[in-house]
Amino acid sequence: LKPFGGLYPASFPAAAAAALVLYIGVGQFAPAAMSLEGTAWQAWSPEAVQAARNSGKPVFIDFTAAWCITCQANMAAALNRENVQETLDRLGYVRLLADWTNKDPAISAELARYRHNGVPLYIVISKSGAVKVLPELLTKDTLLSALKEGAN
């Protein structure tokens, strides 16, 4: 290929992709927040965590974002599995979704409290108040084991 104006035509798609990444990365693109309507999930807040703990139920918190590829992979591989959802129901978990899609400062502060600078972050709070941080890459078995442990 001969250069066109000093550039190679084959480099245009890569340059366009890099420009899009920069555009998204500097916050010029704001993806839609995740919808909780029609789900068993509640919006995360410090008050929601406290209310859930006061209820005496175990709590599962999913710190996620619509643009997070790892979060979406974990959702498909573990979180949205029928037996995981059934286990959450059966064990009486309160499910809280901390949607960091638009970089909510309260969620940023909570992530920092757990020494995370981004998502995903998965937390199980047992009935006794013990906090367990799960791995960033979830498997169905790891999640089910943590849920069963946290229900006690």
Side-chain angles (χ1 to χ4, degrees), residues 17-54:
L20 180 61
V21 167
L22 284 173
Y23 183 67
I24 291 169
V26 297
Q28 298 302 311
F29 172 75
M34 301 171 130
S35 173
L36 300 178
E37 191 174 325
T39 71
W41 293 85
Q42 301 171 36
W44 173 91
S45 70
E47 298 79 15
V49 173
Q50 191 58 52
R53 296 210 42 227
N54 290 345

PDB file of all heavy atoms in Angstrom, residues 17-54:
ATOM      1  N   ALA A  17     -10.836   3.801  15.892  1.00  0.00           N
ATOM      2  CA  ALA A  17     -11.092   3.059  17.126  1.00  0.00           C
ATOM      3  C   ALA A  17     -10.396   3.741  18.308  1.00  0.00           C
ATOM      4  O   ALA A  17     -10.978   3.876  19.386  1.00  0.00           O
ATOM      5  CB  ALA A  17     -10.625   1.614  16.993  1.00  0.00           C
ATOM      6  N   ALA A  18      -9.167   4.185  18.111  1.00  0.00           N
ATOM      7  CA  ALA A  18      -8.437   4.877  19.179  1.00  0.00           C
ATOM      8  C   ALA A  18      -9.142   6.173  19.558  1.00  0.00           C
ATOM      9  O   ALA A  18      -9.253   6.507  20.741  1.00  0.00           O
ATOM     10  CB  ALA A  18      -7.002   5.148  18.743  1.00  0.00           C
ATOM     11  N   ALA A  19      -9.646   6.908  18.569  1.00  0.00           N
ATOM     12  CA  ALA A  19     -10.371   8.148  18.858  1.00  0.00           C
ATOM     13  C   ALA A  19     -11.634   7.859  19.652  1.00  0.00           C
ATOM     14  O   ALA A  19     -11.978   8.597  20.592  1.00  0.00           O
ATOM     15  CB  ALA A  19     -10.707   8.868  17.554  1.00  0.00           C
ATOM     16  N   LEU A  20     -12.348   6.785  19.319  1.00  0.00           N
ATOM     17  CA  LEU A  20     -13.556   6.420  20.051  1.00  0.00           C
ATOM     18  C   LEU A  20     -13.232   6.056  21.491  1.00  0.00           C
ATOM     19  O   LEU A  20     -13.921   6.479  22.412  1.00  0.00           O
ATOM     20  CB  LEU A  20     -14.268   5.253  19.355  1.00  0.00           C
ATOM     21  CG  LEU A  20     -15.560   4.780  20.020  1.00  0.00           C
ATOM     22  CD1 LEU A  20     -16.590   5.903  20.069  1.00  0.00           C
ATOM     23  CD2 LEU A  20     -16.123   3.577  19.280  1.00  0.00           C
ATOM     24  N   VAL A  21     -12.174   5.299  21.701  1.00  0.00           N
ATOM     25  CA  VAL A  21     -11.762   4.928  23.057  1.00  0.00           C
ATOM     26  C   VAL A  21     -11.437   6.186  23.863  1.00  0.00           C
ATOM     27  O   VAL A  21     -11.842   6.331  25.010  1.00  0.00           O
ATOM     28  CB  VAL A  21     -10.568   3.948  23.031  1.00  0.00           C
ATOM     29  CG1 VAL A  21      -9.932   3.820  24.405  1.00  0.00           C
ATOM     30  CG2 VAL A  21     -11.015   2.598  22.503  1.00  0.00           C
ATOM     31  N   LEU A  22     -10.709   7.116  23.261  1.00  0.00           N
ATOM     32  CA  LEU A  22     -10.391   8.360  23.959  1.00  0.00           C
ATOM     33  C   LEU A  22     -11.655   9.160  24.260  1.00  0.00           C
ATOM     34  O   LEU A  22     -11.807   9.719  25.339  1.00  0.00           O
ATOM     35  CB  LEU A  22      -9.429   9.206  23.122  1.00  0.00           C
ATOM     36  CG  LEU A  22      -7.986   8.739  23.119  1.00  0.00           C
ATOM     37  CD1 LEU A  22      -7.164   9.551  22.129  1.00  0.00           C
ATOM     38  CD2 LEU A  22      -7.388   8.839  24.502  1.00  0.00           C
ATOM     39  N   TYR A  23     -12.559   9.207  23.315  1.00  0.00           N
ATOM     40  CA  TYR A  23     -13.812   9.944  23.492  1.00  0.00           C
ATOM     41  C   TYR A  23     -14.617   9.373  24.650  1.00  0.00           C
ATOM     42  O   TYR A  23     -15.085  10.093  25.522  1.00  0.00           O
ATOM     43  CB  TYR A  23     -14.617   9.856  22.184  1.00  0.00           C
ATOM     44  CG  TYR A  23     -15.904  10.624  22.171  1.00  0.00           C
ATOM     45  CD1 TYR A  23     -15.904  12.010  22.214  1.00  0.00           C
ATOM     46  CD2 TYR A  23     -17.118   9.966  22.089  1.00  0.00           C
ATOM     47  CE1 TYR A  23     -17.090  12.720  22.177  1.00  0.00           C
ATOM     48  CE2 TYR A  23     -18.306  10.660  22.053  1.00  0.00           C
ATOM     49  CZ  TYR A  23     -18.284  12.044  22.092  1.00  0.00           C
ATOM     50  OH  TYR A  23     -19.452  12.742  22.056  1.00  0.00           O
ATOM     51  N   ILE A  24     -14.726   8.057  24.712  1.00  0.00           N
ATOM     52  CA  ILE A  24     -15.438   7.400  25.810  1.00  0.00           C
ATOM     53  C   ILE A  24     -14.666   7.576  27.105  1.00  0.00           C
ATOM     54  O   ILE A  24     -15.233   7.888  28.140  1.00  0.00           O
ATOM     55  CB  ILE A  24     -15.653   5.899  25.495  1.00  0.00           C
ATOM     56  CG1 ILE A  24     -16.654   5.742  24.353  1.00  0.00           C
ATOM     57  CG2 ILE A  24     -16.131   5.150  26.734  1.00  0.00           C
ATOM     58  CD1 ILE A  24     -16.739   4.337  23.807  1.00  0.00           C
ATOM     59  N   GLY A  25     -13.367   7.414  27.035  1.00  0.00           N
ATOM     60  CA  GLY A  25     -12.533   7.462  28.231  1.00  0.00           C
ATOM     61  C   GLY A  25     -12.533   8.805  28.931  1.00  0.00           C
ATOM     62  O   GLY A  25     -12.369   8.875  30.137  1.00  0.00           O
ATOM     63  N   VAL A  26     -12.724   9.884  28.214  1.00  0.00           N
ATOM     64  CA  VAL A  26     -12.728  11.196  28.861  1.00  0.00           C
ATOM     65  C   VAL A  26     -14.122  11.609  29.278  1.00  0.00           C
ATOM     66  O   VAL A  26     -14.353  12.731  29.688  1.00  0.00           O
ATOM     67  CB  VAL A  26     -12.074  12.295  27.978  1.00  0.00           C
ATOM     68  CG1 VAL A  26     -10.623  11.993  27.732  1.00  0.00           C
ATOM     69  CG2 VAL A  26     -12.821  12.485  26.685  1.00  0.00           C
ATOM     70  N   GLY A  27     -15.068  10.695  29.190  1.00  0.00           N
ATOM     71  CA  GLY A  27     -16.389  10.957  29.730  1.00  0.00           C
ATOM     72  C   GLY A  27     -17.344  11.670  28.798  1.00  0.00           C
ATOM     73  O   GLY A  27     -18.373  12.189  29.235  1.00  0.00           O
ATOM     74  N   GLN A  28     -17.029  11.734  27.518  1.00  0.00           N
ATOM     75  CA  GLN A  28     -17.917  12.410  26.582  1.00  0.00           C
ATOM     76  C   GLN A  28     -19.098  11.542  26.185  1.00  0.00           C
ATOM     77  O   GLN A  28     -20.077  12.016  25.656  1.00  0.00           O
ATOM     78  CB  GLN A  28     -17.141  12.827  25.325  1.00  0.00           C
ATOM     79  CG  GLN A  28     -16.037  13.804  25.620  1.00  0.00           C
ATOM     80  CD  GLN A  28     -16.555  15.066  26.282  1.00  0.00           C
ATOM     81  OE1 GLN A  28     -17.517  15.663  25.821  1.00  0.00           O
ATOM     82  NE2 GLN A  28     -15.931  15.456  27.370  1.00  0.00           N
ATOM     83  N   PHE A  29     -18.990  10.280  26.459  1.00  0.00           N
ATOM     84  CA  PHE A  29     -20.062   9.346  26.144  1.00  0.00           C
ATOM     85  C   PHE A  29     -20.551   8.770  27.455  1.00  0.00           C
ATOM     86  O   PHE A  29     -19.787   8.242  28.234  1.00  0.00           O
ATOM     87  CB  PHE A  29     -19.525   8.216  25.247  1.00  0.00           C
ATOM     88  CG  PHE A  29     -20.498   7.112  25.014  1.00  0.00           C
ATOM     89  CD1 PHE A  29     -21.553   7.281  24.149  1.00  0.00           C
ATOM     90  CD2 PHE A  29     -20.372   5.899  25.674  1.00  0.00           C
ATOM     91  CE1 PHE A  29     -22.460   6.251  23.940  1.00  0.00           C
ATOM     92  CE2 PHE A  29     -21.270   4.879  25.465  1.00  0.00           C
ATOM     93  CZ  PHE A  29     -22.313   5.056  24.596  1.00  0.00           C
ATOM     94  N   ALA A  30     -21.826   8.911  27.733  1.00  0.00           N
ATOM     95  CA  ALA A  30     -22.379   8.400  28.991  1.00  0.00           C
ATOM     96  C   ALA A  30     -23.386   7.309  28.680  1.00  0.00           C
ATOM     97  O   ALA A  30     -24.507   7.587  28.279  1.00  0.00           O
ATOM     98  CB  ALA A  30     -23.036   9.525  29.772  1.00  0.00           C
ATOM     99  N   PRO A  31     -23.000   6.041  28.830  1.00  0.00           N
ATOM    100  CA  PRO A  31     -23.952   4.969  28.574  1.00  0.00           C
ATOM    101  C   PRO A  31     -25.099   5.021  29.576  1.00  0.00           C
ATOM    102  O   PRO A  31     -24.971   5.572  30.661  1.00  0.00           O
ATOM    103  CB  PRO A  31     -23.132   3.695  28.749  1.00  0.00           C
ATOM    104  CG  PRO A  31     -21.853   4.078  29.366  1.00  0.00           C
ATOM    105  CD  PRO A  31     -21.700   5.553  29.247  1.00  0.00           C
ATOM    106  N   ALA A  32     -26.195   4.459  29.184  1.00  0.00           N
ATOM    107  CA  ALA A  32     -27.373   4.453  30.054  1.00  0.00           C
ATOM    108  C   ALA A  32     -27.118   3.603  31.287  1.00  0.00           C
ATOM    109  O   ALA A  32     -26.455   2.576  31.222  1.00  0.00           O
ATOM    110  CB  ALA A  32     -28.568   3.910  29.286  1.00  0.00           C
ATOM    111  N   ALA A  33     -27.652   4.079  32.403  1.00  0.00           N
ATOM    112  CA  ALA A  33     -27.551   3.319  33.644  1.00  0.00           C
ATOM    113  C   ALA A  33     -28.357   2.029  33.499  1.00  0.00           C
ATOM    114  O   ALA A  33     -29.278   1.935  32.692  1.00  0.00           O
ATOM    115  CB  ALA A  33     -28.062   4.147  34.807  1.00  0.00           C
ATOM    116  N   MET A  34     -28.012   1.060  34.297  1.00  0.00           N
ATOM    117  CA  MET A  34     -28.687  -0.229  34.248  1.00  0.00           C
ATOM    118  C   MET A  34     -30.073  -0.118  34.882  1.00  0.00           C
ATOM    119  O   MET A  34     -30.237   0.559  35.890  1.00  0.00           O
ATOM    120  CB  MET A  34     -27.848  -1.265  34.970  1.00  0.00           C
ATOM    121  CG  MET A  34     -26.481  -1.421  34.372  1.00  0.00           C
ATOM    122  SD  MET A  34     -25.455  -2.445  35.408  1.00  0.00           S
ATOM    123  CE  MET A  34     -24.860  -3.577  34.202  1.00  0.00           C
ATOM    124  N   SER A  35     -31.028  -0.794  34.313  1.00  0.00           N
ATOM    125  CA  SER A  35     -32.403  -0.773  34.833  1.00  0.00           C
ATOM    126  C   SER A  35     -32.606  -1.928  35.799  1.00  0.00           C
ATOM    127  O   SER A  35     -32.224  -3.058  35.529  1.00  0.00           O
ATOM    128  CB  SER A  35     -33.395  -0.891  33.679  1.00  0.00           C
ATOM    129  OG  SER A  35     -34.702  -1.021  34.195  1.00  0.00           O
ATOM    130  N   LEU A  36     -33.241  -1.617  36.935  1.00  0.00           N
ATOM    131  CA  LEU A  36     -33.538  -2.646  37.934  1.00  0.00           C
ATOM    132  C   LEU A  36     -35.008  -3.047  37.885  1.00  0.00           C
ATOM    133  O   LEU A  36     -35.414  -3.955  38.612  1.00  0.00           O
ATOM    134  CB  LEU A  36     -33.198  -2.128  39.338  1.00  0.00           C
ATOM    135  CG  LEU A  36     -31.749  -1.731  39.556  1.00  0.00           C
ATOM    136  CD1 LEU A  36     -31.561  -1.184  40.956  1.00  0.00           C
ATOM    137  CD2 LEU A  36     -30.841  -2.898  39.318  1.00  0.00           C
ATOM    138  N   GLU A  37     -35.754  -2.378  37.041  1.00  0.00           N
ATOM    139  CA  GLU A  37     -37.199  -2.635  36.956  1.00  0.00           C
ATOM    140  C   GLU A  37     -37.472  -4.091  36.578  1.00  0.00           C
ATOM    141  O   GLU A  37     -36.870  -4.646  35.673  1.00  0.00           O
ATOM    142  CB  GLU A  37     -37.816  -1.711  35.900  1.00  0.00           C
ATOM    143  CG  GLU A  37     -39.317  -1.716  35.927  1.00  0.00           C
ATOM    144  CD  GLU A  37     -39.898  -0.684  34.977  1.00  0.00           C
ATOM    145  OE1 GLU A  37     -39.293   0.395  34.832  1.00  0.00           O
ATOM    146  OE2 GLU A  37     -40.934  -0.980  34.383  1.00  0.00           O
ATOM    147  N   GLY A  38     -38.361  -4.704  37.341  1.00  0.00           N
ATOM    148  CA  GLY A  38     -38.743  -6.082  37.072  1.00  0.00           C
ATOM    149  C   GLY A  38     -37.727  -7.112  37.535  1.00  0.00           C
ATOM    150  O   GLY A  38     -37.799  -8.269  37.140  1.00  0.00           O
ATOM    151  N   THR A  39     -36.761  -6.698  38.347  1.00  0.00           N
ATOM    152  CA  THR A  39     -35.749  -7.632  38.852  1.00  0.00           C
ATOM    153  C   THR A  39     -35.835  -7.701  40.375  1.00  0.00           C
ATOM    154  O   THR A  39     -36.524  -6.918  41.008  1.00  0.00           O
ATOM    155  CB  THR A  39     -34.321  -7.193  38.466  1.00  0.00           C
ATOM    156  OG1 THR A  39     -33.959  -6.031  39.230  1.00  0.00           O
ATOM    157  CG2 THR A  39     -34.203  -6.897  36.980  1.00  0.00           C
ATOM    158  N   ALA A  40     -35.096  -8.622  40.945  1.00  0.00           N
ATOM    159  CA  ALA A  40     -35.037  -8.772  42.407  1.00  0.00           C
ATOM    160  C   ALA A  40     -33.979  -7.848  43.007  1.00  0.00           C
ATOM    161  O   ALA A  40     -33.766  -7.859  44.209  1.00  0.00           O
ATOM    162  CB  ALA A  40     -34.738 -10.224  42.766  1.00  0.00           C
ATOM    163  N   TRP A  41     -33.319  -7.063  42.177  1.00  0.00           N
ATOM    164  CA  TRP A  41     -32.241  -6.199  42.621  1.00  0.00           C
ATOM    165  C   TRP A  41     -32.761  -4.855  43.094  1.00  0.00           C
ATOM    166  O   TRP A  41     -33.742  -4.337  42.570  1.00  0.00           O
ATOM    167  CB  TRP A  41     -31.237  -5.986  41.500  1.00  0.00           C
ATOM    168  CG  TRP A  41     -30.506  -7.236  41.135  1.00  0.00           C
ATOM    169  CD1 TRP A  41     -30.921  -8.205  40.262  1.00  0.00           C
ATOM    170  CD2 TRP A  41     -29.260  -7.679  41.649  1.00  0.00           C
ATOM    171  NE1 TRP A  41     -30.002  -9.213  40.201  1.00  0.00           N
ATOM    172  CE2 TRP A  41     -28.967  -8.912  41.042  1.00  0.00           C
ATOM    173  CE3 TRP A  41     -28.354  -7.141  42.560  1.00  0.00           C
ATOM    174  CZ2 TRP A  41     -27.811  -9.617  41.317  1.00  0.00           C
ATOM    175  CZ3 TRP A  41     -27.196  -7.845  42.824  1.00  0.00           C
ATOM    176  CH2 TRP A  41     -26.930  -9.079  42.209  1.00  0.00           C
ATOM    177  N   GLN A  42     -32.059  -4.290  44.074  1.00  0.00           N
ATOM    178  CA  GLN A  42     -32.337  -2.940  44.557  1.00  0.00           C
ATOM    179  C   GLN A  42     -31.096  -2.092  44.301  1.00  0.00           C
ATOM    180  O   GLN A  42     -29.984  -2.613  44.241  1.00  0.00           O
ATOM    181  CB  GLN A  42     -32.615  -2.948  46.056  1.00  0.00           C
ATOM    182  CG  GLN A  42     -33.774  -3.815  46.486  1.00  0.00           C
ATOM    183  CD  GLN A  42     -33.812  -3.930  48.006  1.00  0.00           C
ATOM    184  OE1 GLN A  42     -33.516  -2.997  48.723  1.00  0.00           O
ATOM    185  NE2 GLN A  42     -34.164  -5.118  48.492  1.00  0.00           N
ATOM    186  N   ALA A  43     -31.294  -0.784  44.200  1.00  0.00           N
ATOM    187  CA  ALA A  43     -30.165   0.117  44.004  1.00  0.00           C
ATOM    188  C   ALA A  43     -29.328   0.174  45.276  1.00  0.00           C
ATOM    189  O   ALA A  43     -29.861   0.258  46.381  1.00  0.00           O
ATOM    190  CB  ALA A  43     -30.656   1.508  43.628  1.00  0.00           C
ATOM    191  N   TRP A  44     -28.010   0.120  45.114  1.00  0.00           N
ATOM    192  CA  TRP A  44     -27.087   0.217  46.235  1.00  0.00           C
ATOM    193  C   TRP A  44     -27.048   1.644  46.766  1.00  0.00           C
ATOM    194  O   TRP A  44     -27.088   2.613  46.008  1.00  0.00           O
ATOM    195  CB  TRP A  44     -25.685  -0.176  45.796  1.00  0.00           C
ATOM    196  CG  TRP A  44     -24.662   0.065  46.873  1.00  0.00           C
ATOM    197  CD1 TRP A  44     -24.266  -0.822  47.813  1.00  0.00           C
ATOM    198  CD2 TRP A  44     -23.939   1.265  47.130  1.00  0.00           C
ATOM    199  NE1 TRP A  44     -23.337  -0.243  48.643  1.00  0.00           N
ATOM    200  CE2 TRP A  44     -23.127   1.045  48.247  1.00  0.00           C
ATOM    201  CE3 TRP A  44     -23.915   2.521  46.534  1.00  0.00           C
ATOM    202  CZ2 TRP A  44     -22.276   2.011  48.779  1.00  0.00           C
ATOM    203  CZ3 TRP A  44     -23.082   3.494  47.062  1.00  0.00           C
ATOM    204  CH2 TRP A  44     -22.271   3.235  48.167  1.00  0.00           C
ATOM    205  N   SER A  45     -26.956   1.745  48.042  1.00  0.00           N
ATOM    206  CA  SER A  45     -26.619   2.982  48.750  1.00  0.00           C
ATOM    207  C   SER A  45     -26.158   2.548  50.129  1.00  0.00           C
ATOM    208  O   SER A  45     -26.478   1.433  50.566  1.00  0.00           O
ATOM    209  CB  SER A  45     -27.825   3.928  48.865  1.00  0.00           C
ATOM    210  OG  SER A  45     -28.782   3.391  49.766  1.00  0.00           O
ATOM    211  N   PRO A  46     -25.413   3.385  50.839  1.00  0.00           N
ATOM    212  CA  PRO A  46     -25.027   3.007  52.203  1.00  0.00           C
ATOM    213  C   PRO A  46     -26.257   2.724  53.072  1.00  0.00           C
ATOM    214  O   PRO A  46     -26.245   1.793  53.884  1.00  0.00           O
ATOM    215  CB  PRO A  46     -24.244   4.221  52.707  1.00  0.00           C
ATOM    216  CG  PRO A  46     -23.711   4.862  51.464  1.00  0.00           C
ATOM    217  CD  PRO A  46     -24.776   4.633  50.424  1.00  0.00           C
ATOM    218  N   GLU A  47     -27.309   3.495  52.841  1.00  0.00           N
ATOM    219  CA  GLU A  47     -28.541   3.292  53.604  1.00  0.00           C
ATOM    220  C   GLU A  47     -29.199   1.964  53.260  1.00  0.00           C
ATOM    221  O   GLU A  47     -29.738   1.287  54.149  1.00  0.00           O
ATOM    222  CB  GLU A  47     -29.527   4.448  53.351  1.00  0.00           C
ATOM    223  CG  GLU A  47     -29.028   5.813  53.784  1.00  0.00           C
ATOM    224  CD  GLU A  47     -28.052   6.465  52.795  1.00  0.00           C
ATOM    225  OE1 GLU A  47     -27.946   6.035  51.634  1.00  0.00           O
ATOM    226  OE2 GLU A  47     -27.366   7.417  53.220  1.00  0.00           O
ATOM    227  N   ALA A  48     -29.155   1.571  51.991  1.00  0.00           N
ATOM    228  CA  ALA A  48     -29.736   0.286  51.584  1.00  0.00           C
ATOM    229  C   ALA A  48     -28.958  -0.876  52.201  1.00  0.00           C
ATOM    230  O   ALA A  48     -29.553  -1.875  52.614  1.00  0.00           O
ATOM    231  CB  ALA A  48     -29.756   0.167  50.058  1.00  0.00           C
ATOM    232  N   VAL A  49     -27.640  -0.739  52.297  1.00  0.00           N
ATOM    233  CA  VAL A  49     -26.824  -1.782  52.928  1.00  0.00           C
ATOM    234  C   VAL A  49     -27.198  -1.887  54.407  1.00  0.00           C
ATOM    235  O   VAL A  49     -27.408  -2.986  54.924  1.00  0.00           O
ATOM    236  CB  VAL A  49     -25.310  -1.488  52.771  1.00  0.00           C
ATOM    237  CG1 VAL A  49     -24.478  -2.485  53.572  1.00  0.00           C
ATOM    238  CG2 VAL A  49     -24.905  -1.514  51.305  1.00  0.00           C
ATOM    239  N   GLN A  50     -27.319  -0.747  55.082  1.00  0.00           N
ATOM    240  CA  GLN A  50     -27.653  -0.758  56.500  1.00  0.00           C
ATOM    241  C   GLN A  50     -29.043  -1.351  56.729  1.00  0.00           C
ATOM    242  O   GLN A  50     -29.243  -2.155  57.634  1.00  0.00           O
ATOM    243  CB  GLN A  50     -27.573   0.653  57.094  1.00  0.00           C
ATOM    244  CG  GLN A  50     -27.648   0.666  58.605  1.00  0.00           C
ATOM    245  CD  GLN A  50     -26.554  -0.170  59.259  1.00  0.00           C
ATOM    246  OE1 GLN A  50     -25.372  -0.017  58.970  1.00  0.00           O
ATOM    247  NE2 GLN A  50     -26.939  -1.088  60.136  1.00  0.00           N
ATOM    248  N   ALA A  51     -30.008  -0.974  55.898  1.00  0.00           N
ATOM    249  CA  ALA A  51     -31.367  -1.518  56.029  1.00  0.00           C
ATOM    250  C   ALA A  51     -31.364  -3.028  55.813  1.00  0.00           C
ATOM    251  O   ALA A  51     -32.035  -3.766  56.543  1.00  0.00           O
ATOM    252  CB  ALA A  51     -32.311  -0.840  55.039  1.00  0.00           C
ATOM    253  N   ALA A  52     -30.617  -3.487  54.839  1.00  0.00           N
ATOM    254  CA  ALA A  52     -30.528  -4.932  54.570  1.00  0.00           C
ATOM    255  C   ALA A  52     -29.897  -5.654  55.751  1.00  0.00           C
ATOM    256  O   ALA A  52     -30.378  -6.710  56.176  1.00  0.00           O
ATOM    257  CB  ALA A  52     -29.731  -5.180  53.297  1.00  0.00           C
ATOM    258  N   ARG A  53     -28.830  -5.086  56.302  1.00  0.00           N
ATOM    259  CA  ARG A  53     -28.176  -5.710  57.460  1.00  0.00           C
ATOM    260  C   ARG A  53     -29.106  -5.709  58.667  1.00  0.00           C
ATOM    261  O   ARG A  53     -29.154  -6.685  59.413  1.00  0.00           O
ATOM    262  CB  ARG A  53     -26.876  -4.986  57.790  1.00  0.00           C
ATOM    263  CG  ARG A  53     -25.882  -5.141  56.636  1.00  0.00           C
ATOM    264  CD  ARG A  53     -24.445  -5.132  56.988  1.00  0.00           C
ATOM    265  NE  ARG A  53     -24.127  -5.870  58.161  1.00  0.00           N
ATOM    266  CZ  ARG A  53     -23.338  -5.401  59.126  1.00  0.00           C
ATOM    267  NH1 ARG A  53     -22.822  -4.203  59.052  1.00  0.00           N
ATOM    268  NH2 ARG A  53     -23.050  -6.138  60.166  1.00  0.00           N
ATOM    269  N   ASN A  54     -29.870  -4.623  58.857  1.00  0.00           N
ATOM    270  CA  ASN A  54     -30.819  -4.547  59.978  1.00  0.00           C
ATOM    271  C   ASN A  54     -31.930  -5.581  59.857  1.00  0.00           C
ATOM    272  O   ASN A  54     -32.514  -5.979  60.857  1.00  0.00           O
ATOM    273  CB  ASN A  54     -31.427  -3.150  60.088  1.00  0.00           C
ATOM    274  CG  ASN A  54     -30.418  -2.109  60.547  1.00  0.00           C
ATOM    275  OD1 ASN A  54     -29.352  -2.436  61.045  1.00  0.00           O
ATOM    276  ND2 ASN A  54     -30.756  -0.847  60.341  1.00  0.00           N
TER     277      ASN A  54
END
